[in-house]
Amino acid sequence: GDNKINTITFSLIRSLYPRFRYDDLKSHPAVVVYPYSIYSVNMLELYELNIPMLVPSPDVIIRNNIMNDRVLYPTYCTEKKYSNMKLNALTDIPYSPNTYDYAAQKYWIKYSFMYQAKNTVIWESEEDLMNKLHYADLDRVRNAMFDENEQRRDVANHAWRTALGL
């Protein structure tokens, strides 16, 4: 598409728009997401607006030690409570979600929204990010996001209608 980024300026959303509305972001060709929390809802909102999202790979997340709030200790319980838990007692899942082991982190991080969405653009390094910002077909990504979001809404609406007997 014609929607290529030639000049790249990085800004924090809050520095551009101190009281931003999500509509403010529609004029931007893309957003680079560097998530701080596994539970961040704003990724869903950005995605629903069909704004191409460039997100770090699970390896980048693990290497930079971010999004650690998916584990219980130390955010949600004490080390003593955590160490007394039977973490895999009732399941055949290969990894506990409550460990900082590399393989376990890689296994569980893939279930966060940004990796479940089909059209996020995943970058492996700063160089890869810059290449993708320069060369990604953002119009194609935006259109694919639109189609995916419509499909997701149709599935959710059908499920709600079924659950409500409509």
Side-chain angles (χ1 to χ4, degrees):
D2 293 334
N3 191 6
K4 299 282 187 223
I5 298 177
N6 296 320
T7 302
I8 298 174
T9 302
F10 291 94
S11 298
L12 297 173
I13 291 172
R14 295 275 182 208
S15 68
L16 289 175
Y17 310 105
R19 290 194 172 113
F20 90 95
R21 295 176 21 241
Y22 282 98
D23 277 349
D24 294 330
L25 303 178
K26 285 184 178 180
S27 64
H28 297 276
V31 300
V32 176
V33 176
Y34 198 80
Y36 62 90
S37 171
I38 197 82
Y39 303 108
S40 181
V41 175
N42 64 353
M43 285 183 271
L44 296 152
E45 294 163 335
L46 291 170
Y47 203 88
E48 186 67 28
L49 288 170
N50 307 312
I51 301 170
M53 291 177 25
L54 291 95
V55 301
S57 71
D59 288 323
V60 172
I61 297 289
I62 296 166
R63 195 169 49 244
N64 289 290
N65 199 31
I66 57 175
M67 289 182 21
N68 286 330
D69 58 339
R70 66 171 183 74
V71 298
L72 293 173
Y73 168 77
T75 306
Y76 303 105
C77 70
T78 65
E79 186 173 13
K80 183 178 179 183
K81 284 183 182 178
Y82 172 76
S83 61
N84 289 335
M85 292 179 187
K86 303 272 190 254
L87 298 176
N88 278 13
L90 301 175
T91 182
D92 60 353
I93 294 173
Y95 302 103
S96 166
N98 296 307
T99 179
Y100 293 100
D101 174 75
Y102 178 85
Q105 289 187 74
K106 190 142 183 177
Y107 178 83
W108 286 105
I109 286 172
K110 71 182 178 188
Y111 291 109
S112 67
F113 174 78
M114 63 187 173
Y115 303 118
Q116 293 294 305
K118 296 175 187 171
N119 294 289
T120 53
V121 179
I122 299 171
W123 50 272
E124 298 289 339
S125 66
E126 290 79 8
E127 181 181 357
D128 186 40
L129 170 62
M130 296 307 287
N131 283 330
K132 287 180 175 170
L133 283 168
H134 279 291
Y135 300 111
D137 184 346
L138 297 175
D139 285 334
R140 186 206 57 77
V141 172
R142 189 180 305 272
N143 291 334
M145 291 171 80
F146 180 86
D147 292 343
E148 181 186 359
N149 284 326
E150 268 195 344
Q151 192 173 37
R152 187 182 1 265
R153 281 191 297 275
D154 288 346
V155 168
N157 285 334
H158 177 74
W160 276 108
R161 285 192 301 275
T162 301
L164 296 172
L166 302 175

